[in-house]
Amino acid sequence: MLSFFFSLSGRLNRRGYVGGLVLLLSVLAFAGMPFLDTLGQFMRLPIAALVVTGALTTSVRRLHDRGRSAWGLLVLALPLLGPLFLAFELLFRQGTPGENQYGADPRVDPTDYLEVRPYPEDKDAATHVDEVTRLWR
């Protein structure tokens, strides 16, 4: 779970990005703020730092899905238009199809649980059944 929020490598699709942001905001709302009076004001900074770090790393992975580097976050320095452009880019634009320089497409399931192979003509049925059952063990 921690690697989801604190890893900079790989790609993240839109669903994972939005789900991660919702989870981060809920952690901030339900874990950080109610205990603020109990833990004191000095705990505000570490909780906010964890949430901001998680949001930035998931944004970097979402930019990787779009085929862009982490330098794309610098658009946030532009007043008003920068955050709007980045929000549109991360929330509404589809990632690059197929594999790119940052990894495999997160929308494609790499597991193929069913492989259909033709029956080999040079083997008898008993040998073929034995091979198949050995592979499934």
Side-chain angles (χ1 to χ4, degrees), residues 41-94:
Q41 291 292 333
F42 68 94
M43 287 303 291
R44 179 180 286 178
L45 184 63
I47 292 171
L50 286 174
V51 170
V52 168
T53 303
L56 287 176
T57 56
T58 54
S59 296
V60 166
R61 291 176 51 215
R62 179 68 188 125
L63 282 171
H64 286 173
D65 189 41
R66 293 278 308 128
R68 301 179 186 273
S69 71
W71 291 103
L73 289 177
L74 287 178
V75 76
L76 290 171
L78 298 172
L80 190 63
L81 291 180
L84 289 175
F85 173 76
L86 190 65
F88 178 76
E89 184 80 13
L90 297 179
L91 295 172
F92 299 110
R93 305 266 327 255
Q94 187 174 3

Side-chain angles (χ1 to χ4, degrees), residues 18-35:
V18 170
L21 289 182
V22 167
L23 187 60
L24 283 171
L25 290 176
S26 63
V27 164
L28 182 64
F30 297 116
M33 295 305 160
F35 298 113

